[in-house]
Amino acid sequence: MSKGPDDLVRRLAAGMRAAELYSPQHPLVQRSVQALSVAIAAHLGDAATLVVGFIGDDVVVNDTRLGKGSASLTGFIRGLRDREVEKITFHRGVTAEEIQSFLTEMAVKRTRSPLADRLAGKGVRRIVIGKLSAEDPQQDQIGIEAARKVYSNAVSSAETLWEQAKAGDKPDPETARKIIDSLANIVNGDRTSLMALTALKKYDNYTFTHMVNVAALSMAQARALNLEGPLLREFGFAALMHDIGKVNTPLEVLNKPGKLDAEEFRVMKQHVVDGAHILRRTPEMPALAPIVAFEHHLKQDLSGYPEKIGHRKLNLCTMIVSIADVFDALRSNRPYREGLATSRIRAIMSEKDNPAFNGVLLRRFVNLMGLFPIGTIVRLNTDEVGVVTAEHPEDPFRPQVKILFDRRGDKIDAPTLANTWERDSRGAFPRAVIESVDPDSMELDPLTVL
Ligand SMILES: [Fe+2]
Ligand SMILES: [Fe+2]
């Protein structure tokens, strides 16, 4: 059975505790050293280094963030913080002797010489302690900063694709592939950071941010439908390129502040046909891309445009992309209006009998985005029902919820608060918001339960 990173961290904590309590020769210490050696070797595998970092109350092993753990782990993290250790790097070939010396030196409290010097003095070369700094590439592999970098790279690559198509060349599939690969990594690893980034409105480069946002929002939807691997990437490609036909649309039409007149609208509509042409003559693009470019302004009842296309069934990818497309367009700042708040967008998009979107996919999208303003009655994956009491500033998609009904539907006398952004000791989220619930159906007044 393969052991996860939390096993490694537990062994590290146990080793440090043993070294604090007993002499280095004590069997308990010896056993801890052996167990820790095995765990480190297993985690290192063929890699040159294994990094255990401590950020606030979180432990990070390479780029996996573990949640707040048991009380013993909390003490362990505090101990490291007292010693000003934010990061421990194990290098390949680290020996049991080095681990033993490391644990022994860590256990020494209140000395004048810095820990790093003492480790060096003991000949420990393959365990390096240090601080996490903003420039630290290891830290950049996780969290919102990494997502920010990926995002801005993606936006400038999208600009390259756009300029190529505008010049009449084929958009370089390799450039597109790099964007999709980097987005796929984040969509798989840290969806929240990416989704949060796509919500930033400070980017004024609408054409290119729109390409990347629609790709990211579509891939996140597809991932939540359990699509992965090559198909997930194809969805990403198609989403990224959905508006590429607009390279032929005159700027005065593209950026016109007011309503388009009939002739301008005719010109604008042309982008779906042009896009399909451009993508069809780029053979390395997945076949899905021209289909989605052609279909993305068609509604469920085939109203919209292109007109008179006969009977057809919209591609799943088209339905996903059109949700991401409209959402991003409404949320972005445009020359003629400010981006709308998510709650307002949700109201617009889920207007009753709106034929623009597939109802099931739209509901899933709303859930995925976690658009739950304070006061929303929500059902959790645990079947508990509660009211959103606060948003989590670092993770707008995982609110704080006051639990009002238990999983059997019984009203709770003393409601408790659940922070749905908190992970359990395994790094999983024990609670997640599944959907919002009509307060009337629960006979609840959200304001009185807040
Ligand atoms: Fe479009
Ligand atoms: Fe679009």
Side-chain angles (χ1 to χ4, degrees), residues 140-160:
D140 277 343
Q141 285 172 17
I142 52 150
I144 195 119
E145 273 318 305
R148 198 188 295 277
K149 222 171 260 178
V150 165
Y151 184 75
S152 66
N153 286 341
V155 170
S156 59
S157 300
E159 182 169 6
T160 307

mmCIF file with all atom_site columns, all heavy atoms in Angstrom, residues 140-160:
data_model
loop_
_atom_site.group_PDB
_atom_site.id
_atom_site.type_symbol
_atom_site.label_atom_id
_atom_site.label_alt_id
_atom_site.label_comp_id
_atom_site.label_asym_id
_atom_site.label_entity_id
_atom_site.label_seq_id
_atom_site.pdbx_PDB_ins_code
_atom_site.Cartn_x
_atom_site.Cartn_y
_atom_site.Cartn_z
_atom_site.occupancy
_atom_site.B_iso_or_equiv
_atom_site.pdbx_formal_charge
_atom_site.auth_seq_id
_atom_site.auth_comp_id
_atom_site.auth_asym_id
_atom_site.auth_atom_id
_atom_site.pdbx_PDB_model_num
ATOM 1   N N   . ASP A 1 140 ? 6.123  28.600 -5.474  1.00 0.00 ? 140 ASP A N   1
ATOM 2   C CA  . ASP A 1 140 ? 5.360  29.034 -6.630  1.00 0.00 ? 140 ASP A CA  1
ATOM 3   C C   . ASP A 1 140 ? 4.573  27.899 -7.264  1.00 0.00 ? 140 ASP A C   1
ATOM 4   O O   . ASP A 1 140 ? 3.675  28.129 -8.059  1.00 0.00 ? 140 ASP A O   1
ATOM 5   C CB  . ASP A 1 140 ? 6.291  29.628 -7.680  1.00 0.00 ? 140 ASP A CB  1
ATOM 6   C CG  . ASP A 1 140 ? 6.598  31.079 -7.352  1.00 0.00 ? 140 ASP A CG  1
ATOM 7   O OD1 . ASP A 1 140 ? 5.844  31.651 -6.547  1.00 0.00 ? 140 ASP A OD1 1
ATOM 8   O OD2 . ASP A 1 140 ? 7.556  31.601 -7.884  1.00 0.00 ? 140 ASP A OD2 1
ATOM 9   N N   . GLN A 1 141 ? 4.930  26.677 -6.921  1.00 0.00 ? 141 GLN A N   1
ATOM 10  C CA  . GLN A 1 141 ? 4.234  25.563 -7.545  1.00 0.00 ? 141 GLN A CA  1
ATOM 11  C C   . GLN A 1 141 ? 2.848  25.362 -6.965  1.00 0.00 ? 141 GLN A C   1
ATOM 12  O O   . GLN A 1 141 ? 2.098  24.527 -7.428  1.00 0.00 ? 141 GLN A O   1
ATOM 13  C CB  . GLN A 1 141 ? 5.049  24.278 -7.383  1.00 0.00 ? 141 GLN A CB  1
ATOM 14  C CG  . GLN A 1 141 ? 6.243  24.276 -8.319  1.00 0.00 ? 141 GLN A CG  1
ATOM 15  C CD  . GLN A 1 141 ? 7.154  23.113 -8.023  1.00 0.00 ? 141 GLN A CD  1
ATOM 16  O OE1 . GLN A 1 141 ? 6.749  22.175 -7.354  1.00 0.00 ? 141 GLN A OE1 1
ATOM 17  N NE2 . GLN A 1 141 ? 8.359  23.183 -8.506  1.00 0.00 ? 141 GLN A NE2 1
ATOM 18  N N   . ILE A 1 142 ? 2.536  26.073 -5.916  1.00 0.00 ? 142 ILE A N   1
ATOM 19  C CA  . ILE A 1 142 ? 1.234  25.872 -5.319  1.00 0.00 ? 142 ILE A CA  1
ATOM 20  C C   . ILE A 1 142 ? 0.496  27.189 -5.225  1.00 0.00 ? 142 ILE A C   1
ATOM 21  O O   . ILE A 1 142 ? 1.092  28.243 -5.229  1.00 0.00 ? 142 ILE A O   1
ATOM 22  C CB  . ILE A 1 142 ? 1.344  25.270 -3.906  1.00 0.00 ? 142 ILE A CB  1
ATOM 23  C CG1 . ILE A 1 142 ? 2.326  26.141 -3.099  1.00 0.00 ? 142 ILE A CG1 1
ATOM 24  C CG2 . ILE A 1 142 ? 1.785  23.837 -3.941  1.00 0.00 ? 142 ILE A CG2 1
ATOM 25  C CD1 . ILE A 1 142 ? 2.007  26.147 -1.649  1.00 0.00 ? 142 ILE A CD1 1
ATOM 26  N N   . GLY A 1 143 ? -0.788 27.073 -5.141  1.00 0.00 ? 143 GLY A N   1
ATOM 27  C CA  . GLY A 1 143 ? -1.600 28.200 -4.756  1.00 0.00 ? 143 GLY A CA  1
ATOM 28  C C   . GLY A 1 143 ? -1.779 29.269 -5.804  1.00 0.00 ? 143 GLY A C   1
ATOM 29  O O   . GLY A 1 143 ? -1.459 29.103 -6.972  1.00 0.00 ? 143 GLY A O   1
ATOM 30  N N   . ILE A 1 144 ? -2.274 30.375 -5.339  1.00 0.00 ? 144 ILE A N   1
ATOM 31  C CA  . ILE A 1 144 ? -2.760 31.409 -6.223  1.00 0.00 ? 144 ILE A CA  1
ATOM 32  C C   . ILE A 1 144 ? -1.643 32.070 -7.019  1.00 0.00 ? 144 ILE A C   1
ATOM 33  O O   . ILE A 1 144 ? -1.848 32.489 -8.154  1.00 0.00 ? 144 ILE A O   1
ATOM 34  C CB  . ILE A 1 144 ? -3.569 32.446 -5.407  1.00 0.00 ? 144 ILE A CB  1
ATOM 35  C CG1 . ILE A 1 144 ? -4.394 33.331 -6.336  1.00 0.00 ? 144 ILE A CG1 1
ATOM 36  C CG2 . ILE A 1 144 ? -2.687 33.296 -4.546  1.00 0.00 ? 144 ILE A CG2 1
ATOM 37  C CD1 . ILE A 1 144 ? -5.853 33.223 -6.080  1.00 0.00 ? 144 ILE A CD1 1
ATOM 38  N N   . GLU A 1 145 ? -0.427 32.132 -6.446  1.00 0.00 ? 145 GLU A N   1
ATOM 39  C CA  . GLU A 1 145 ? 0.672  32.771 -7.173  1.00 0.00 ? 145 GLU A CA  1
ATOM 40  C C   . GLU A 1 145 ? 1.023  31.984 -8.429  1.00 0.00 ? 145 GLU A C   1
ATOM 41  O O   . GLU A 1 145 ? 1.262  32.546 -9.491  1.00 0.00 ? 145 GLU A O   1
ATOM 42  C CB  . GLU A 1 145 ? 1.902  32.927 -6.277  1.00 0.00 ? 145 GLU A CB  1
ATOM 43  C CG  . GLU A 1 145 ? 1.890  34.207 -5.460  1.00 0.00 ? 145 GLU A CG  1
ATOM 44  C CD  . GLU A 1 145 ? 1.412  35.421 -6.250  1.00 0.00 ? 145 GLU A CD  1
ATOM 45  O OE1 . GLU A 1 145 ? 1.985  35.698 -7.325  1.00 0.00 ? 145 GLU A OE1 1
ATOM 46  O OE2 . GLU A 1 145 ? 0.460  36.083 -5.802  1.00 0.00 ? 145 GLU A OE2 1
ATOM 47  N N   . ALA A 1 146 ? 1.059  30.655 -8.284  1.00 0.00 ? 146 ALA A N   1
ATOM 48  C CA  . ALA A 1 146 ? 1.352  29.818 -9.445  1.00 0.00 ? 146 ALA A CA  1
ATOM 49  C C   . ALA A 1 146 ? 0.266  29.993 -10.495 1.00 0.00 ? 146 ALA A C   1
ATOM 50  O O   . ALA A 1 146 ? 0.535  30.125 -11.692 1.00 0.00 ? 146 ALA A O   1
ATOM 51  C CB  . ALA A 1 146 ? 1.454  28.352 -9.021  1.00 0.00 ? 146 ALA A CB  1
ATOM 52  N N   . ALA A 1 147 ? -0.965 30.026 -10.037 1.00 0.00 ? 147 ALA A N   1
ATOM 53  C CA  . ALA A 1 147 ? -2.083 30.189 -10.963 1.00 0.00 ? 147 ALA A CA  1
ATOM 54  C C   . ALA A 1 147 ? -1.985 31.528 -11.679 1.00 0.00 ? 147 ALA A C   1
ATOM 55  O O   . ALA A 1 147 ? -2.241 31.639 -12.871 1.00 0.00 ? 147 ALA A O   1
ATOM 56  C CB  . ALA A 1 147 ? -3.402 30.081 -10.205 1.00 0.00 ? 147 ALA A CB  1
ATOM 57  N N   . ARG A 1 148 ? -1.577 32.548 -10.931 1.00 0.00 ? 148 ARG A N   1
ATOM 58  C CA  . ARG A 1 148 ? -1.465 33.887 -11.519 1.00 0.00 ? 148 ARG A CA  1
ATOM 59  C C   . ARG A 1 148 ? -0.435 33.889 -12.654 1.00 0.00 ? 148 ARG A C   1
ATOM 60  O O   . ARG A 1 148 ? -0.647 34.474 -13.709 1.00 0.00 ? 148 ARG A O   1
ATOM 61  C CB  . ARG A 1 148 ? -1.038 34.875 -10.432 1.00 0.00 ? 148 ARG A CB  1
ATOM 62  C CG  . ARG A 1 148 ? -1.300 36.331 -10.777 1.00 0.00 ? 148 ARG A CG  1
ATOM 63  C CD  . ARG A 1 148 ? -0.680 37.238 -9.740  1.00 0.00 ? 148 ARG A CD  1
ATOM 64  N NE  . ARG A 1 148 ? -1.278 37.101 -8.415  1.00 0.00 ? 148 ARG A NE  1
ATOM 65  C CZ  . ARG A 1 148 ? -2.407 37.731 -8.055  1.00 0.00 ? 148 ARG A CZ  1
ATOM 66  N NH1 . ARG A 1 148 ? -3.043 38.492 -8.896  1.00 0.00 ? 148 ARG A NH1 1
ATOM 67  N NH2 . ARG A 1 148 ? -2.883 37.572 -6.850  1.00 0.00 ? 148 ARG A NH2 1
ATOM 68  N N   . LYS A 1 149 ? 0.680  33.188 -12.427 1.00 0.00 ? 149 LYS A N   1
ATOM 69  C CA  . LYS A 1 149 ? 1.731  33.135 -13.432 1.00 0.00 ? 149 LYS A CA  1
ATOM 70  C C   . LYS A 1 149 ? 1.240  32.399 -14.680 1.00 0.00 ? 149 LYS A C   1
ATOM 71  O O   . LYS A 1 149 ? 1.420  32.854 -15.805 1.00 0.00 ? 149 LYS A O   1
ATOM 72  C CB  . LYS A 1 149 ? 2.955  32.427 -12.838 1.00 0.00 ? 149 LYS A CB  1
ATOM 73  C CG  . LYS A 1 149 ? 4.256  33.108 -13.209 1.00 0.00 ? 149 LYS A CG  1
ATOM 74  C CD  . LYS A 1 149 ? 5.415  32.516 -12.436 1.00 0.00 ? 149 LYS A CD  1
ATOM 75  C CE  . LYS A 1 149 ? 5.781  33.409 -11.260 1.00 0.00 ? 149 LYS A CE  1
ATOM 76  N NZ  . LYS A 1 149 ? 6.861  32.851 -10.445 1.00 0.00 ? 149 LYS A NZ  1
ATOM 77  N N   . VAL A 1 150 ? 0.630  31.240 -14.437 1.00 0.00 ? 150 VAL A N   1
ATOM 78  C CA  . VAL A 1 150 ? 0.098  30.457 -15.550 1.00 0.00 ? 150 VAL A CA  1
ATOM 79  C C   . VAL A 1 150 ? -0.899 31.289 -16.340 1.00 0.00 ? 150 VAL A C   1
ATOM 80  O O   . VAL A 1 150 ? -0.892 31.329 -17.572 1.00 0.00 ? 150 VAL A O   1
ATOM 81  C CB  . VAL A 1 150 ? -0.601 29.182 -15.027 1.00 0.00 ? 150 VAL A CB  1
ATOM 82  C CG1 . VAL A 1 150 ? -1.464 28.549 -16.113 1.00 0.00 ? 150 VAL A CG1 1
ATOM 83  C CG2 . VAL A 1 150 ? 0.429  28.187 -14.531 1.00 0.00 ? 150 VAL A CG2 1
ATOM 84  N N   . TYR A 1 151 ? -1.721 32.020 -15.593 1.00 0.00 ? 151 TYR A N   1
ATOM 85  C CA  . TYR A 1 151 ? -2.769 32.792 -16.232 1.00 0.00 ? 151 TYR A CA  1
ATOM 86  C C   . TYR A 1 151 ? -2.189 33.898 -17.107 1.00 0.00 ? 151 TYR A C   1
ATOM 87  O O   . TYR A 1 151 ? -2.577 34.054 -18.271 1.00 0.00 ? 151 TYR A O   1
ATOM 88  C CB  . TYR A 1 151 ? -3.678 33.390 -15.150 1.00 0.00 ? 151 TYR A CB  1
ATOM 89  C CG  . TYR A 1 151 ? -4.860 34.138 -15.684 1.00 0.00 ? 151 TYR A CG  1
ATOM 90  C CD1 . TYR A 1 151 ? -5.948 33.449 -16.203 1.00 0.00 ? 151 TYR A CD1 1
ATOM 91  C CD2 . TYR A 1 151 ? -4.891 35.516 -15.681 1.00 0.00 ? 151 TYR A CD2 1
ATOM 92  C CE1 . TYR A 1 151 ? -7.041 34.124 -16.706 1.00 0.00 ? 151 TYR A CE1 1
ATOM 93  C CE2 . TYR A 1 151 ? -5.979 36.208 -16.175 1.00 0.00 ? 151 TYR A CE2 1
ATOM 94  C CZ  . TYR A 1 151 ? -7.051 35.497 -16.685 1.00 0.00 ? 151 TYR A CZ  1
ATOM 95  O OH  . TYR A 1 151 ? -8.124 36.177 -17.176 1.00 0.00 ? 151 TYR A OH  1
ATOM 96  N N   . SER A 1 152 ? -1.213 34.645 -16.590 1.00 0.00 ? 152 SER A N   1
ATOM 97  C CA  . SER A 1 152 ? -0.708 35.753 -17.400 1.00 0.00 ? 152 SER A CA  1
ATOM 98  C C   . SER A 1 152 ? 0.097  35.225 -18.588 1.00 0.00 ? 152 SER A C   1
ATOM 99  O O   . SER A 1 152 ? 0.059  35.815 -19.676 1.00 0.00 ? 152 SER A O   1
ATOM 100 C CB  . SER A 1 152 ? 0.091  36.746 -16.551 1.00 0.00 ? 152 SER A CB  1
ATOM 101 O OG  . SER A 1 152 ? 1.247  36.137 -16.073 1.00 0.00 ? 152 SER A OG  1
ATOM 102 N N   . ASN A 1 153 ? 0.801  34.108 -18.417 1.00 0.00 ? 153 ASN A N   1
ATOM 103 C CA  . ASN A 1 153 ? 1.459  33.490 -19.580 1.00 0.00 ? 153 ASN A CA  1
ATOM 104 C C   . ASN A 1 153 ? 0.437  33.080 -20.633 1.00 0.00 ? 153 ASN A C   1
ATOM 105 O O   . ASN A 1 153 ? 0.643  33.272 -21.828 1.00 0.00 ? 153 ASN A O   1
ATOM 106 C CB  . ASN A 1 153 ? 2.259  32.244 -19.162 1.00 0.00 ? 153 ASN A CB  1
ATOM 107 C CG  . ASN A 1 153 ? 3.527  32.623 -18.443 1.00 0.00 ? 153 ASN A CG  1
ATOM 108 O OD1 . ASN A 1 153 ? 3.987  33.759 -18.547 1.00 0.00 ? 153 ASN A OD1 1
ATOM 109 N ND2 . ASN A 1 153 ? 4.077  31.689 -17.697 1.00 0.00 ? 153 ASN A ND2 1
ATOM 110 N N   . ALA A 1 154 ? -0.648 32.487 -20.155 1.00 0.00 ? 154 ALA A N   1
ATOM 111 C CA  . ALA A 1 154 ? -1.684 32.016 -21.078 1.00 0.00 ? 154 ALA A CA  1
ATOM 112 C C   . ALA A 1 154 ? -2.276 33.182 -21.854 1.00 0.00 ? 154 ALA A C   1
ATOM 113 O O   . ALA A 1 154 ? -2.516 33.092 -23.057 1.00 0.00 ? 154 ALA A O   1
ATOM 114 C CB  . ALA A 1 154 ? -2.762 31.256 -20.315 1.00 0.00 ? 154 ALA A CB  1
ATOM 115 N N   . VAL A 1 155 ? -2.493 34.298 -21.153 1.00 0.00 ? 155 VAL A N   1
ATOM 116 C CA  . VAL A 1 155 ? -3.092 35.458 -21.830 1.00 0.00 ? 155 VAL A CA  1
ATOM 117 C C   . VAL A 1 155 ? -2.154 35.989 -22.919 1.00 0.00 ? 155 VAL A C   1
ATOM 118 O O   . VAL A 1 155 ? -2.587 36.301 -24.028 1.00 0.00 ? 155 VAL A O   1
ATOM 119 C CB  . VAL A 1 155 ? -3.454 36.570 -20.814 1.00 0.00 ? 155 VAL A CB  1
ATOM 120 C CG1 . VAL A 1 155 ? -3.842 37.862 -21.526 1.00 0.00 ? 155 VAL A CG1 1
ATOM 121 C CG2 . VAL A 1 155 ? -4.602 36.105 -19.914 1.00 0.00 ? 155 VAL A CG2 1
ATOM 122 N N   . SER A 1 156 ? -0.850 36.033 -22.635 1.00 0.00 ? 156 SER A N   1
ATOM 123 C CA  . SER A 1 156 ? 0.029  36.560 -23.691 1.00 0.00 ? 156 SER A CA  1
ATOM 124 C C   . SER A 1 156 ? 0.174  35.560 -24.835 1.00 0.00 ? 156 SER A C   1
ATOM 125 O O   . SER A 1 156 ? 0.315  35.963 -25.993 1.00 0.00 ? 156 SER A O   1
ATOM 126 C CB  . SER A 1 156 ? 1.377  37.027 -23.131 1.00 0.00 ? 156 SER A CB  1
ATOM 127 O OG  . SER A 1 156 ? 2.026  35.983 -22.502 1.00 0.00 ? 156 SER A OG  1
ATOM 128 N N   . SER A 1 157 ? 0.122  34.260 -24.540 1.00 0.00 ? 157 SER A N   1
ATOM 129 C CA  . SER A 1 157 ? 0.135  33.280 -25.639 1.00 0.00 ? 157 SER A CA  1
ATOM 130 C C   . SER A 1 157 ? -1.146 33.377 -26.478 1.00 0.00 ? 157 SER A C   1
ATOM 131 O O   . SER A 1 157 ? -1.120 33.202 -27.694 1.00 0.00 ? 157 SER A O   1
ATOM 132 C CB  . SER A 1 157 ? 0.252  31.853 -25.105 1.00 0.00 ? 157 SER A CB  1
ATOM 133 O OG  . SER A 1 157 ? 1.437  31.716 -24.374 1.00 0.00 ? 157 SER A OG  1
ATOM 134 N N   . ALA A 1 158 ? -2.254 33.648 -25.811 1.00 0.00 ? 158 ALA A N   1
ATOM 135 C CA  . ALA A 1 158 ? -3.521 33.797 -26.533 1.00 0.00 ? 158 ALA A CA  1
ATOM 136 C C   . ALA A 1 158 ? -3.418 34.960 -27.515 1.00 0.00 ? 158 ALA A C   1
ATOM 137 O O   . ALA A 1 158 ? -3.925 34.892 -28.642 1.00 0.00 ? 158 ALA A O   1
ATOM 138 C CB  . ALA A 1 158 ? -4.670 34.020 -25.550 1.00 0.00 ? 158 ALA A CB  1
ATOM 139 N N   . GLU A 1 159 ? -2.721 36.006 -27.093 1.00 0.00 ? 159 GLU A N   1
ATOM 140 C CA  . GLU A 1 159 ? -2.520 37.151 -27.975 1.00 0.00 ? 159 GLU A CA  1
ATOM 141 C C   . GLU A 1 159 ? -1.736 36.729 -29.226 1.00 0.00 ? 159 GLU A C   1
ATOM 142 O O   . GLU A 1 159 ? -2.052 37.132 -30.347 1.00 0.00 ? 159 GLU A O   1
ATOM 143 C CB  . GLU A 1 159 ? -1.785 38.264 -27.223 1.00 0.00 ? 159 GLU A CB  1
ATOM 144 C CG  . GLU A 1 159 ? -1.588 39.506 -28.064 1.00 0.00 ? 159 GLU A CG  1
ATOM 145 C CD  . GLU A 1 159 ? -1.099 40.704 -27.252 1.00 0.00 ? 159 GLU A CD  1
ATOM 146 O OE1 . GLU A 1 159 ? -0.810 40.535 -26.054 1.00 0.00 ? 159 GLU A OE1 1
ATOM 147 O OE2 . GLU A 1 159 ? -1.018 41.793 -27.834 1.00 0.00 ? 159 GLU A OE2 1
ATOM 148 N N   . THR A 1 160 ? -0.715 35.887 -29.023 1.00 0.00 ? 160 THR A N   1
ATOM 149 C CA  . THR A 1 160 ? 0.068  35.379 -30.153 1.00 0.00 ? 160 THR A CA  1
ATOM 150 C C   . THR A 1 160 ? -0.831 34.631 -31.141 1.00 0.00 ? 160 THR A C   1
ATOM 151 O O   . THR A 1 160 ? -0.773 34.857 -32.355 1.00 0.00 ? 160 THR A O   1
ATOM 152 C CB  . THR A 1 160 ? 1.169  34.417 -29.639 1.00 0.00 ? 160 THR A CB  1
ATOM 153 O OG1 . THR A 1 160 ? 1.907  35.082 -28.632 1.00 0.00 ? 160 THR A OG1 1
ATOM 154 C CG2 . THR A 1 160 ? 2.078  33.971 -30.778 1.00 0.00 ? 160 THR A CG2 1
#
